[in-house]
Amino acid sequence: LAAAGVTADCFLFLNVPDDILVERVVGRRTDPETGKIYHMTFSPPESDEVKERLVQRSDDTEEKVKVRLEQFHDNVESVKGCYESISVEIDGTESVNVVGEKIKAAIEGCRATA
């Protein structure tokens, strides 16, 4: 970022265990007609008609997600170290509304100190 002339005000880290991330990604589906994203467990389609046309991204398999997570774990500490002074960790396992509010508060807090 620095090489591009970009300075970060806040570094948000959503902390979510790997098994939950795998579940979230593997259950994700997209409606090719509308572009809407669904989750087969947490946000299923509203009708069988929509359900029948949903597609899964080729990289949303358990095997590929685990490879991406491995790469993430190999690099996350060095990235976090670069932004330690502006880092905010958020529990990403809480409800969407709670996580959203915590993100909003963290950004506002970072702006206040910038």
Side-chain angles (χ1 to χ4, degrees), residues 31 34 36 38 43-51 53-54:
D31 182 343
T34 66
K36 185 172 179 181
Y38 295 91
S43 181
E46 56 279 345
S47 70
D48 286 339
E49 178 186 343
V50 173
K51 183 178 180 179
R53 67 178 183 244
L54 296 180

Side-chain angles (χ1 to χ4, degrees), residues 26-104:
V26 171
R28 184 169 53 188
R29 302 289 188 278
T30 304
D31 182 343
E33 286 186 20
T34 66
K36 185 172 179 181
I37 298 172
Y38 295 91
H39 190 280
M40 301 310 289
T41 303
F42 306 119
S43 181
E46 56 279 345
S47 70
D48 286 339
E49 178 186 343
V50 173
K51 183 178 180 179
E52 289 174 15
R53 67 178 183 244
L54 296 180
V55 294
Q56 183 178 29
R57 285 177 25 172
S58 62
D59 61 342
D60 279 355
T61 64
E62 185 170 347
E63 298 78 24
K64 290 184 179 179
V65 172
K66 286 183 176 181
V67 168
R68 293 196 315 252
L69 284 169
E70 222 175 276
Q71 293 169 340
F72 169 79
H73 289 299
D74 287 346
N75 296 294
V76 68
E77 290 307 318
S78 61
V79 173
K80 284 172 76 174
C82 294
Y83 301 101
E84 194 170 2
S85 65
I86 58 169
S87 182
V88 178
E89 283 203 32
I90 295 172
D91 182 353
T93 64
E94 296 184 289
S95 74
V96 172
N97 291 337
V98 170
V99 172
E101 286 301 315
K102 287 185 177 184
I103 289 171
K104 182 179 175 184

